[in-house]
Amino acid sequence: MTAYLQLLKRVPLFQDFSDSDLGELEQLLLPRKVVPGTLLFSKGEHGGSMFIVVSGKVRVLLPATQQGAAPVMLQELGEGEFFGEMALIDNEPRSASVDVPHGAELVELTRDSFIAQLDRSPRIGISMLAVMSRRLRTAAELLGTPASRDINRESDEQQTWSQKLADRVAQWNGSWSFLILLIVSTALWTGVNAVPGLQFDPYPYQFFNFFLAFLVAVQGPLLMMSQNRQVLKERLHAEADYRVNLKNETGIGQVLLELAELRRELAEVRQATVTKVGGAK
């Protein structure tokens, strides 16, 4: 398997393509060596190609909204990553700018050559439709199901007895009651052993030191268990936030599409009304 064929296999748009279909697409790839400091394309430009990074890095940017301000970097793409793949399907302007600050080696697949290959091999179009259909189903499921989750409740319900014990130990160790109990116990131990007739662990308090060492040895792993569970819970929170944000973005995109369609229909009605009034005169 060639290096370019491996790159094509990483692109989700081509994930259902057979090796023979990918081999045909591989023949359409155009190698490009980009010198440092090159602006590959700007936001709003006509998109006619997708690119895959062979080596080096590129930056995906949003242009500055104010004069003198720096552009906002959205993403940095490295070896094996791709960008601009939707330009193979639609004819819309670029949604962001891409520059190459330190030089890179890319391969380019133009829309014209890709469309021509679709005409020659309809099965490639069928494979692509399957991928796009799967994406649409995922988006529909995302919009149709609630994304918000009570992570704390779900995590607490799935706790084992050992996890509950670790959390309670961690909670108790971080409380004033534990600190006060430790101070009082130490004072009583040293006070009792300071009386000659009551001594059972005279200075240097070997039994007490053993007890403290044992307490520390037991607390350490329990605290780490609780900390690891908190890290896992934070990851679940981040995942839930991502799904909520993704659903919001998808919903906003759908609303914008419907608004654009409504505007188009209103423009057609307005144009039809103006034509009708002009004809009546």
Side-chain angles (χ1 to χ4, degrees), residues 5 8 17-28 117:
L5 197 59
L8 287 174
F17 284 21
S18 64
D19 289 343
S20 60
D21 294 336
L22 291 175
E24 294 176 5
L25 288 181
E26 184 185 12
Q27 304 302 319
L28 307 176
Q117 185 62 33

Side-chain angles (χ1 to χ4, degrees), residues 65-254:
T65 56
Q66 298 180 353
Q67 186 175 5
V72 179
M73 188 177 75
L74 299 178
Q75 197 175 10
E76 188 174 60
L77 304 177
E79 180 180 345
E81 296 183 289
F82 55 92
F83 56 96
E85 71 276 12
M86 295 312 296
L88 300 180
I89 303 173
D90 57 28
N91 200 26
E92 298 297 322
R94 299 287 191 184
S95 58
S97 303
V98 173
D99 72 349
V100 186
H102 306 297
E105 182 181 352
L106 312 174
V107 289
E108 179 182 5
L109 178 60
T110 65
R111 184 173 187 270
D112 293 337
S113 60
F114 181 71
I115 295 299
Q117 185 62 33
L118 287 181
D119 292 337
R120 292 191 295 268
S121 302
R123 66 180 182 276
I124 292 181
I126 295 174
S127 298
M128 181 173 291
L129 285 175
V131 175
M132 297 178 66
S133 176
R134 192 157 50 248
R135 287 187 174 184
L136 288 174
R137 287 180 183 274
T138 302
E141 291 175 0
L142 181 63
L143 289 173
T145 56
S148 300
R149 296 165 53 194
D150 189 349
I151 300 299
N152 292 327
R153 180 180 59 81
E154 291 181 12
S155 179
D156 292 341
E157 289 177 351
Q158 296 173 2
Q159 271 188 303
T160 63
W161 69 268
S162 59
Q163 291 173 333
K164 292 179 180 179
L165 176 62
D167 285 350
R168 290 185 179 180
V169 169
Q171 184 178 8
W172 188 53
N173 282 351
S175 65
W176 276 104
S177 60
F178 174 75
L179 182 60
I180 293 172
L181 178 62
L182 188 60
I183 293 174
V184 171
S185 300
T186 303
L188 288 175
W189 192 287
T190 55
V192 169
N193 285 280
V195 179
L198 300 177
Q199 286 182 344
F200 61 92
D201 184 23
Y203 183 84
Y205 312 119
Q206 294 182 359
F207 289 112
F208 189 62
N209 289 331
F210 171 77
F211 170 74
L212 290 179
F214 178 77
L215 182 64
V216 171
V218 172
Q219 285 178 327
L222 290 174
L223 290 174
M224 289 300 299
M225 281 187 248
S226 179
Q227 185 177 0
N228 290 338
R229 206 179 73 79
Q230 292 301 321
V231 171
L232 178 60
K233 186 184 291 187
E234 290 175 2
R235 289 180 180 175
L236 292 176
H237 275 291
E239 180 184 351
D241 291 341
Y242 168 75
R243 291 184 64 84
V244 170
N245 293 335
L246 181 60
K247 182 172 183 177
N248 289 337
E249 291 178 1
T250 306
I252 291 172
Q254 183 66 27

